[in-house]
Each structure stands twice: as C-alpha cells, then as structure tokens.
Amino acid sequence: QVQLVQSGAEVKKPGASVRVSCKASGYTFSSNTIHWVRQAPGQRLEWMGWINAGNGNTKYSQKFQGRVTFTSDTSASTAYMELSSLGSEDTAVYYCARGFRPGTTSELDYWGQGTLVTVSS
Amino acid sequence: SYELTQAPSVSVSPGQTARINCSGDALTKQYTHWYQLKPGQAPVMVIYKDNVRPSRIPERFSGSISGTTVTLTISGVQAEDEADYYCQSADSTGTYTVFGGGTKLTVL
C-alpha cells in the first residue's frame, strides 16, 4: 500500500533553516509529483508547491518563492522540503502528499503524517 | 488572490445527513477535491474531481456541484466521521492550488 513517512518534529530558531523529508513506499516514486502543504495553528491548509519526483521539475507558490526548495532522491524514494529564513509565522505542521496526476491542480491521494516545525527563540 | 469559502462548522446527529459546502468563482472551471483531517492522523482524500469517491472510502461519502458551489454530502453520519473537512481547487488558470477554510463536522 502507498505510504508517505515524514521525518520527526523540529524546533528551530528564527532565521534558521529546516529540512523535512518524506519517504515514499508502495508505488514507483518517480512516476508522481510530491506536493507540500502546511497548516499553521488555527489556520487553513496552505499549498507550498510540488516537485516532479522523477525529473526534479518544481512549481512553487509565489508566497514561498525564493525561500523554499524542493528536492528528490529517486534512489531513496525520498522527497525533501527545505525552508529558510524561518520566522514565528512558519510554525506549522508540514505535510507531503502524492499528486495523483501531473501538475498543480491534481488531487492529493495519499498524505504523510505531518511534521511539526516550531520556530522559537 | 483567489479564495474558497466554507462554513466554519456543521453539526448533525448520528444517522442524519451532513452537507458541507465550498464556494468559489472558479469552481466551474477547476475540479474540487475533499479531504478529511483528524488530529494526529494523516489527511485522507474522500472525494476527488468534484464527485468521484475513492474505492477505499465508504459509500456514504458523495460529492456534487451546482454552479460555483460544490457540496460534500455524508449520508448516515457516524461518530467516526467527526473531523475537519477541507476543499481544494485551483484558480481559473490552474496556476496555483488553494484550500478552503475548513469545516468542523461535529456528530452530536
């Protein structure tokens, strides 16, 4: 069965960077996109963008452009999200999710369990 | 920027029908997908492409669209359906994805 397993919780200081991993199993990793979505406390889900796990092409939300980087390692079936210049407003649960179809409008048919990132001095 | 609108909360008794709406100007141009979020669990897709139910999702979940409003319907609500439900769609050009504000379903 398809599974996405994310790395554990992180606590970071303002201005630092964080990297979250998302290990996929149960399907051919390079055949799909991986989307990243976050949810700050009491806020709605917020889409950050996607990466084509096979060829590394990316699409970033304008809000995060220049501050976020998605990468993928096909040999490890793992996707990564790195967010830099962290501020308190980046405190959130970060999710990875598989895009069923290529592109931005795809449904997200399987999700990781989420990674809590806390930014605090 | 484009936004999707959902009511903050819906309450129903077990066995009743819950209807959760999502409104947005571009919903006639872009598909809508629905997700169930429970605390401490991975989100689950319950409906995609407006009205398609994944095979692993119970038949009591269905989706429909009327104009610029899409509706997630849960017939015969059970206690285990208590969760937050989010709609997802895209702007009219498909440039970016947006989520609704979420609806908390309470089973009385």
Side-chain angles (χ1 to χ4, degrees), chain A residues 37 39 43-47 59 95 101 104-113, chain B residues 4 30 33 35 37 42-43 45 48 56 86 88 90 94-97 99-101:
Chain A
V37 177
Q39 186 172 35
Q43 303 298 311
R44 68 178 63 194
L45 296 170
E46 184 173 33
W47 179 74
K59 168 77 172 178
Y95 295 101
R101 294 175 287 126
T104 296
T105 64
S106 173
E107 59 274 32
L108 307 176
D109 61 348
Y110 290 93
W111 293 60
Q113 82 277 17
Chain B
L4 300 176
Q30 300 290 344
H33 320 299
Y35 304 95
L37 272 71
M45 183 180 74
Y48 66 101
R56 62 186 179 275
Y86 286 85
Q88 174 213 348
T95 301
Y96 57 90
T97 281
F99 289 91

Side-chain angles (χ1 to χ4, degrees), chain B residues 10-20 60-62 72-79 81-82 85 105-108:
Chain B
V10 168
S11 299
V12 297
S13 298
Q16 290 189 328
T17 296
R19 294 180 179 84
I20 299 171
R60 63 181 180 273
F61 288 85
S62 63
L72 171 68
T73 300
I74 310 172
S75 305
V77 166
Q78 300 183 6
D81 299 329
E82 186 164 282
Y85 291 87
L105 173 65
T106 300
V107 182
L108 301 171

Side-chain angles (χ1 to χ4, degrees), chain B residues 10-88:
Chain B
V10 168
S11 299
V12 297
S13 298
Q16 290 189 328
T17 296
R19 294 180 179 84
I20 299 171
N21 292 329
C22 173
S23 299
D25 290 341
L27 294 186
T28 56
K29 299 182 177 66
Q30 300 290 344
Y31 285 124
T32 300
H33 320 299
W34 289 94
Y35 304 95
Q36 177 191 68
L37 272 71
K38 294 181 179 179
Q41 298 184 22
V44 175
M45 183 180 74
V46 295
I47 294 289
Y48 66 101
K49 288 187 178 180
D50 297 339
N51 56 16
V52 183
R53 179 179 51 80
S55 58
R56 62 186 179 275
I57 301 301
E59 290 184 9
R60 63 181 180 273
F61 288 85
S62 63
S64 60
I65 180 169
S66 177
T68 58
T69 298
V70 292
T71 301
L72 171 68
T73 300
I74 310 172
S75 305
V77 166
Q78 300 183 6
E80 68 199 49
D81 299 329
E82 186 164 282
D84 293 332
Y85 291 87
Y86 286 85
C87 58
Q88 174 213 348

